[in-house]
Amino acid sequence: MPSDAKILIVDDHEDTLYALESALAPLGYLLARATSGDEALKQVLRGRVGLLLLDVRMPGVSGLDVVRYLRRLEQTQHIPVVLLTGFGPDHELTSTAFALGVADLVMKPIDPWALRTKVRYLFDAHQRHLALEHEVRELRALVKDHAEAGEHPARPALPHPDPHVPTQRAQGAHDGELEQDRT
């Protein structure tokens, strides 16, 4: 993913958006905001969102609805989502959220240090994953180009045995026993 990937913060309360932006600012990542599920979906579909912090309960399209939609699309199904809720522990919400593949469910009020730690880990891991996927696509294209050109990729030579490492003895030989001693 390009270096312009951003963290999208979604909440219908302006004060919560400000608090989350303030908590994440020290990380130095690009931050964007949305005040509704619809607005969040539009921004994610435009691309370059590397992580989503998403309030569960919002008017209109809820956070869970946003996650359901994102998980159905190939280009958005792997974006890490941290759901935020101010309604305390809820077993049904927790089960639903993790069944949808969210990375975490965080209760408000949020500990800024813990949030920064989670966000840094999830965002960076997702960026590494995308970079590896990109590299795999490039390598597959290279192999395909060579195959179409009739070239065979060079096979790596097998390493020469290390003279200091004993080779496997013949089956039936026992420790301390030489093959010639068995006669």
Side-chain angles (χ1 to χ4, degrees):
M1 175 157 276
S3 61
D4 62 346
K6 61 189 170 204
I7 295 170
L8 180 60
I9 304 168
V10 186
D11 200 292
D12 56 322
H13 297 288
E14 190 69 29
D15 56 337
T16 303
L17 287 171
Y18 178 76
L20 291 168
E21 287 172 332
S22 296
L24 297 176
L27 294 176
Y29 298 130
L30 294 174
L31 303 174
R33 60 166 48 196
T35 56
S36 70
D38 284 331
E39 188 181 343
L41 285 171
K42 288 176 187 172
Q43 285 197 44
V44 171
L45 293 174
R46 279 189 221 123
R48 294 188 299 276
V49 172
L51 182 119
L52 194 59
L53 286 175
L54 181 63
D55 188 25
V56 173
R57 292 190 173 98
M58 294 181 290
V61 178
S62 75
L64 289 174
D65 292 335
V66 170
V67 176
R68 281 184 190 100
Y69 185 78
L70 295 177
R71 294 307 183 233
R72 288 191 298 233
L73 301 175
E74 185 177 342
Q75 72 265 27
T76 61
Q77 64 185 232
H78 297 294
I79 295 173
V81 175
V82 175
L83 284 177
L84 310 171
T85 183
F87 291 95
D90 177 340
H91 179 69
E92 185 176 329
L93 171 61
T94 303
S95 296
T96 302
F98 287 112
L100 289 171
V102 301
D104 204 354
L105 178 64
V106 177
M107 304 294 164
K108 297 176 187 177
I110 297 167
D111 174 2
W113 183 87
L115 182 66
R116 281 192 295 271
T117 301
K118 289 176 189 196
V119 164
R120 181 184 303 119
Y121 172 78
L122 292 168
F123 187 82
D124 291 349
H126 183 61
Q127 298 309 299
R128 286 189 302 272
H129 173 78
L130 292 176
L132 286 172
E133 281 184 343
H134 179 73
E135 189 173 338
V136 166
R137 281 192 302 274
E138 286 180 344
L139 289 171
R140 284 184 178 153
L142 186 62
V143 168
K144 181 180 177 188
D145 290 346
H146 284 286
E148 288 174 355
E151 300 172 14
H152 295 288
R155 291 196 173 142
L158 294 176
H160 294 290
D162 186 341
H164 302 322
V165 177
T167 56
Q168 185 175 5
R169 290 184 281 178
Q171 200 170 11
H174 300 289
D175 287 335
E177 187 178 79
L178 298 174
E179 288 292 321
Q180 56 186 299
D181 289 341
R182 285 210 252 179
T183 57

